[in-house]
Amino acid sequence: MKFQFIVIALLFLNACKEKTKTATVDNTSVIEVKYAEASIDLEIYDFEGFKTFLNKSDDKTYVINFWATWCGPCVKELPYFEQLHANYKNKDVEVILVSLDFPHVYETKLKPFILKHELKSRVIVLNDGNENKWINAVDASWSGAIPATIIYNKNERKFFERSFTFEELEAEVKQLK
Amino acid sequence: MKNVFKLIPLVALVIFVSAFSNNVTHDHGYDVGDVIEDFKLKNIDGKMVSLSDYKDAKGFIITFTCNTCPFSIAYEDRIIALHKKYAAKGYPVIAINPNNPNTKQGDSFESMQQRANEKGFTFPYLVDEGQKTYPKFGATKTPHNYVVKKTEKGMVVAYIGAIDDSSRNPDAVTETYLEDAVDALLEGKEVKIKKTKAIGCSIKV
């Protein structure tokens, strides 16, 4: 897992270098600024590494949303998760957006998406091919369709294979014991 | 007479419970072992297709798929290969697009014709007009695959789930769930893994 992270980080560093070069040739500082902003690193996990996010036992409420840039209903509901993050980050609620995008679009689609939409919630990436194993481990009732969301704390856990409005999301968080 | 009155709540309860359990089965769609209803859906060539049209079929590989979902696209070549391999053995592929084209533009009838043409689909690619068929199957996403076997009772569901264990990379497949199921049926053996799960795009209603 660590190795994967390092490789991606290295690849990205390389990519960055090239872009800076191009920018210098073009002599446009605007482009340089753009790419400096773009220097985000993705947190990429296989399921073994990801599991810890599903099993925290501190006093927080965790809202784990499975999404992807290509998933229309997921993208539509992302602002509500962002709003939840903004309103509740100081109230022991942590929103984690788990991207299921394919590895070959990390640079071309996922990173630009995160930047464009200025996502403030923590975004992590789950890259694990053995879906038949880990979908059941996330929740036995999950068919595998996204969007899907888990809302849990140390006392209670709820799984949803559906879309949310902000009000519905907020109500679920408030209802949790 | 008193006894009869005593029975009323019980009868009511039985009716209530049985009504409820019927609903539950319907909500979840077909399970392995269930007999499926035939359908009559429009193919991209404008002709209507039913399973009963296939007199010689031993069964079918029914795939709910679409034009727009990256997971569906990732499996297109593998679906084409499945049809090539198994149609002659009696298990042709039937593809059904369950998405509402008004919700998902890229899944219109014309787009389906275009995609099938580009990829050279040699199997029917049917429109679930009115979206009445996919709920019967309990399909929730694309791709969502079913293998059914012709028996004296009718078409019985033998397998539900993924084509294989590597949607992201066809070169990294280690388990060919759906092929294994069809192979077992062809050899008259029991299907070992009857259900699997995979990530997919929710069906657009």
Side-chain angles (χ1 to χ4, degrees), chain A residues 19-20 23-24 27-38:
Chain A
K19 300 293 178 198
T20 320
T24 326
N27 206 15
T28 32
S29 55
V30 183
I31 291 175
E32 266 182 285
V33 172
K34 220 174 168 181
Y35 281 102
E37 274 176 5

Side-chain angles (χ1 to χ4, degrees), chain B residues 11-142:
Chain B
V11 171
L13 183 73
V14 168
I15 291 170
F16 177 72
V17 168
S18 63
F20 186 68
S21 58
N22 277 341
N23 280 341
V24 167
T25 334
H26 189 250
D27 276 354
H28 288 268
Y30 300 133
D31 203 347
V32 169
D34 286 350
V35 176
I36 70 164
E37 262 178 56
D38 201 352
F39 45 75
K40 194 171 189 181
L41 299 172
K42 189 167 81 170
N43 193 9
I44 41 168
D45 62 6
K47 290 179 186 153
M48 302 304 282
V49 171
S50 293
L51 299 181
S52 58
D53 301 339
Y54 291 75
K55 302 291 176 219
D56 300 329
K58 293 175 186 163
F60 295 92
I61 298 165
I62 299 172
T63 177
F64 289 89
T65 188
C66 70
N67 281 4
T68 48
C69 173
F71 286 88
S72 295
I73 295 166
Y75 271 112
E76 280 173 337
D77 290 341
R78 282 174 267 184
I79 291 170
I80 293 168
L82 279 173
H83 183 69
K84 218 176 215 173
K85 181 170 177 185
Y86 290 107
K89 294 181 180 177
Y91 279 83
V93 165
I94 307 275
I96 304 174
N97 187 335
N99 283 348
N100 180 348
N102 297 325
T103 315
K104 197 75 193 171
Q105 270 192 338
D107 283 318
S108 68
F109 187 65
E110 293 72 28
S111 307
M112 285 171 64
Q113 288 175 317
Q114 196 184 343
R115 189 64 190 163
N117 193 25
E118 279 166 12
K119 292 300 293 182
F121 286 176
T122 48
F123 46 82
Y125 188 19
L126 310 177
V127 185
D128 189 3
E129 256 171 332
Q131 300 187 289
K132 294 195 176 76
T133 302
Y134 87 78
K136 287 185 184 167
F137 278 79
T140 58
K141 59 191 164 60
T142 54

